[in-house]
Structures are given as structure tokens and as C-alpha cells.
């Protein structure tokens, strides 16, 4: 155990352990990142919560992501402990329940939900219960979550097509839309003075990428646009915050995944399916992206394969299992 190779192995195990310990220690803890700017890593494992951020302006507070109702309940007292300024705006980075289902809770506390126009378009597509009475995602989530069952969907009412700016001379937050990524309505919150970027699920730090509502080819372009901002601190949608390199890691994951799947794009679905383990082994060798790999890889491979013109290869049972895993990753608990 004294060869350079085993020492390297021990070192990397120690590094992974300390990173994991750090990540767990920071869940549910308020992290001041700059004067009046805070980050809060949500408890995704236990409650499906997303990460939150908030900025205390001169006259009001802007919250980044509404979270689930129980996630909103978790952080409101933490904001209140720091300031008594009114919470005026809650910015949904996208339409998913773990980022937008807490909207009603914020409205009840005096805030207006804000989002890119694509969030409303996504809600019209998936939230059929709200728009035309046919049960949709909210109703599905309410079956397994008491906090959702006790609240109601509140689509954002203040919408921006490309950009919206909050600036009181001291603080500036720019909400940007850079294109399709994790969904068709991903908004970013950019603090140019502090060089802090809140990405929603367009960038995550860990095995939390859900591809079902997005497009990986466009996702790469959107990440490239976000990278041009030159962020020093990235506050991802899930997982611990990191440096600007987090965007590069996320980009590398999709670039490598697409490269691997591309080798099978013209092969039969069975051949694609049989290659999942080999793809996993290959991606795991890449230190930059190994932590992005989770149990959902088969579903992610299938999504990319379909984007490239292939046919789905997961059988219905496996697909249901994938859905269950994704849903859990996004906090919809199933009985
Ligand atoms: Zn999401
Ligand atoms: Zn999420």
C-alpha cells in the first residue's frame, strides 16, 4: 500500500470523503456568500428540496427559487432572522415542483413569483390540472407530498422574455434566459458585481441531472452562453456551491455523454441498451464528471439516443422505475 499508485488512491478516497462530508454538513445551513447575498443548500435526499438563494436589497428581499411549500417554510424563518425587509419577489428558475410549487406560500407572505415566459409555457403543457382540469403533475405530486396537497399551484405572474433587472444602486441582480437546457424555461440569476451565478437545474453539483424536459444539444449552448458571464461562484440548483468550473464540469458531462451515445446513434435500440454499462465505466474514468453519474444513467442515455433519432429502449417497467428515480431526484415522493 505504499506505491505511488496506492497513495494516489488513498488521497483521492480522502478527497471524496471530505467533499461528501462537507456537502452533507452544509445542507439546510445559511451560507453568506457576499454582503446581503445568501445561499442555502436544500435537503434533496430527505425532502426533495432545491437550493435557494436570496439577496437583501435596500427595500426588499428577492428570493431565488420558490422550492416546494415545505422548502419555503424551511427558509422563511431563516430570512426573517436576518432582515425584517419585505420579501417582495420569488424567482422560479424553472417550472419543476421543487423550484416552483412553493409560489403560493411566497404569495401568502407578500411576494410576487417571477419567471421566464417559458415557465408558463411549460406549466401549460404539464400542469393540466390548473389549466383545463385534467390531472397533471401537481396532482401527481400531491398524492405523495402533504405539503403540495395542502397548497395550490400558483403560476408566476411577473414574466420576462430575455432579461429582467433588479438594481437599487447597491445591489444588482440580472435574470437571464440563455436558451433551452434542463427545461424550455430556464432562468439564471446573475450578480455582476459579486460575480455570483444562480443556475437553477441548468447546472447541478452531483447526480441530479434530469433530462426528461430538456434537450442536451441545446443545453450545451446554453451553458456556453452562461460561461461567458465569467462567474466566480456558482450556486447550482442541487448540491453544494462551487467555483466557475462547475459550469465546465456540467458542460463536460453532456459533451461526453453525447459523444459516447453518438457512437451508437445508428445502431439498434438493443445495442444501445447493452452499451449503457460500458458508457458508465468510460464516464466514471473522467474525474471532472464522475460525480454526475447516478442510477439514472440508462434513462439519460435513452433520452440522448432519442434526441439523436433513436427509439426508446427501456421497457415500460424499467421506464416506470426511471420515472420513479427522476421523480425522487426531484422530490416527488412515491408511496
Ligand atoms: Zn428541475
Ligand atoms: Zn430541481
Amino acid at each position: 500500500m505504499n506505491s505511488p499508485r496506492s497513495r494516489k488512491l488513498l488521497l483521492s478516497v480522502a478527497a471524496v470523503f471530505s467533499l461528501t462530508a462537507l456537502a452533507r454538513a452544509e445542507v439546510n445551513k445559511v451560507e453568506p456568500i457576499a454582503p446581503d447575498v445568501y445561499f442555502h443548500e436544500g435537503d434533496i435526499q430527505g425532502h426533495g428540496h432545491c437550493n435557494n438563494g436570496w439577496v437583501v436589497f435596500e427595500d426588499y428581499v428577492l428570493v431565488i427559487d420558490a422550492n416546494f411549500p415545505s422548502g419555503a417554510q424551511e427558509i422563511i424563518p431563516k430570512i426573517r432572522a436576518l432582515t425584517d425587509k419585505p420579501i417582495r419577489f420569488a424567482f422560479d428558475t424553472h417550472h419543476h415542483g421543487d423550484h416552483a410549487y412553493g409560489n403560493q406560500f411566497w404569495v401568502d407572505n407578500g411576494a410576487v413569483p417571477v419567471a421566464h415566459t417559458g415557465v408558463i409555457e411549460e406549466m401549460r403543457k404539464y400542469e393540466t390540472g390548473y389549466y383545463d382540469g385534467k390531472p397533471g403533475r401537481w396532482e401527481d405530486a400531491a398524492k405523495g407530498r402533504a405539503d403540495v396537497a395542502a397548497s395550490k399551484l400558483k403560476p408566476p405572474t411577473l414574466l420576462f422574455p430575455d432579461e429582467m433587472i433588479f438594481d437599487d444602486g447597491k445591489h444588482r441582480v440580472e435574470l437571464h434566459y440563455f436558451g433551452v437546457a434542463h427545461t424550455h424555461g430556464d432562468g439564471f440569476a446573475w450578480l455582476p458585481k459579486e460575480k455570483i451565478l444562480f443556475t437553477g437545474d441548468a447546472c447541478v453539483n452531483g447526480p441530479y441531472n434530469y433530462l426528461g424536459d430538456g434537450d442536451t444539444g441545446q443545453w450545451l449552448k446554453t451553458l456556453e452562453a452562461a460561461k461567458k458571464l465569467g462567474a466566480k461562484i456558482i450556486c447550482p440548483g442541487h448540491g453544494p456551491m462551487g467555483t466557475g468550473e462547475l459550469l465546465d464540469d456540467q458542460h463536460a458531462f453532456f459533451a461526453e455523454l453525447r459523444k459516447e451515445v453518438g457512437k451508437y446513434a445508428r445502431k439498434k435500440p438493443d445495442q444501445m441498451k447493452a452499451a449503457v454499462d460500458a458508457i458508465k465505466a468510460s464516464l466514471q474514468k473522467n474525474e471532472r464528471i464522475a460525480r454526475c453519474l447516478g442510477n439514472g444513467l440508462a434513462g439519460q442515455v435513452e433520452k440522448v439516443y432519442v434526441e439523436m433519432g433513436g427509439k426508446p429502449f427501456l421497457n415500460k417497467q424499467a421506464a416506470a422505475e426511471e420515472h420513479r428515480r427522476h421523480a425522487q431526484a426531484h422530490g416527488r415522493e412515491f408511496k
Side-chain angles (χ1 to χ4, degrees):
M1 286 297 281
N2 235 348
S3 68
R5 196 175 159 195
S6 63
R7 272 203 300 277
K8 192 176 168 201
L9 184 69
L10 275 175
L11 273 175
S12 61
V13 167
V16 167
F17 178 76
S18 63
L19 274 176
T20 309
L22 187 69
R24 291 276 66 81
E26 289 179 354
V27 163
N28 280 337
K29 195 178 142 219
V30 177
E31 297 278 347
I33 359 177
D36 303 321
V37 183
Y38 300 88
F39 174 72
H40 183 273
E41 188 186 339
D43 181 2
I44 186 170
Q45 310 292 352
H47 299 284
H49 292 164
C50 72
N51 295 342
N52 283 102
W54 58 91
V55 181
V56 182
F57 283 84
E58 179 133 359
D59 305 320
Y60 58 84
V61 180
L62 162 70
V63 174
I64 295 151
D65 268 322
N67 214 319
F68 271 122
S70 63
Q73 267 167 319
E74 170 82 34
I75 65 162
I76 281 186
K78 296 176 183 178
I79 298 173
R80 283 280 156 261
L82 293 163
T83 178
D84 55 7
K85 288 174 188 172
I87 303 165
R88 285 258 195 265
F89 304 100
F91 165 48
D92 298 343
T93 57
H94 60 293
H95 73 279
H96 286 154
D98 55 326
H99 299 260
Y101 282 2
N103 280 349
Q104 184 62 53
F105 196 85
W106 294 104
V107 168
D108 294 342
N109 281 274
V112 176
V114 184
H116 174 250
T117 46
V119 169
I120 288 289
E121 285 159 31
E122 294 281 61
M123 282 191 176
R124 280 188 194 283
K125 197 163 149 194
Y126 300 113
E127 300 296 358
T128 47
Y130 182 90
Y131 290 98
D132 61 23
K134 194 173 143 242
R137 288 188 178 178
W138 175 281
E139 290 71 25
D140 193 22
K143 286 181 202 160
R145 292 192 63 106
D147 64 333
V148 173
S151 188
K152 58 183 181 190
L153 180 68
K154 180 71 188 175
T157 54
L158 182 55
L159 306 168
F160 65 93
D162 294 306
E163 205 175 286
M164 179 182 283
I165 298 170
F166 299 83
D167 192 333
D168 64 5
K170 193 172 166 203
H171 292 297
R172 182 179 174 92
V173 177
E174 301 174 358
L175 306 184
H176 289 281
Y177 175 74
F178 292 124
V180 172
H182 171 67
T183 68
H184 289 67
D186 297 288
F188 292 74
W190 168 235
L191 282 65
K193 287 182 194 166
E194 298 87 349
K195 299 206 177 296
I196 297 168
L197 182 65
F198 290 86
T199 64
D201 290 356
C203 179
V204 296
N205 191 4
Y208 309 118
N209 284 128
Y210 173 59
L211 313 190
D213 297 339
D215 179 285
T216 60
Q218 294 184 67
W219 201 325
L220 286 172
K221 291 188 191 124
T222 296
L223 287 169
E224 282 154 23
K227 272 163 64 173
K228 287 192 185 134
L229 295 170
K232 296 273 188 264
I233 296 175
I234 304 293
C235 298
H238 296 281
M241 62 179 168
T243 63
E245 282 193 22
L246 219 52
L247 286 176
D248 298 295
D249 295 353
Q250 184 67 91
H251 187 276
F253 176 63
F254 290 120
E256 289 301 310
L257 181 63
R258 286 178 62 83
K259 196 171 99 188
E260 291 293 330
V261 173
K263 293 175 190 168
Y264 300 86
R266 286 160 193 245
K267 302 242 162 97
K268 293 201 171 81
D270 277 355
Q271 290 169 293
M272 180 74 263
K273 187 181 176 187
V276 171
D277 285 344
I279 289 177
K280 185 167 194 169
S282 165
L283 297 179
Q284 259 163 351
K285 283 185 202 143
N286 187 330
E287 277 179 29
R288 172 154 252 177
I289 61 176
R291 70 182 186 287
C292 302
L293 292 160
N295 293 330
L297 185 66
Q300 292 170 335
V301 166
E302 183 184 64
K303 174 66 166 64
V304 175
Y305 179 64
V306 170
E307 285 173 6
M308 292 177 173
K311 293 254 185 313
F313 57 78
L314 292 172
N315 63 35
K316 277 198 176 150
Q317 199 184 346
E321 192 51 40
E322 277 306 307
H323 173 70
R324 188 184 299 272
R325 269 201 288 266
H326 289 322
Q328 279 171 345
H330 272 64
R332 285 158 58 200
E333 295 154 15
F334 281 71
K335 286 175 187 165

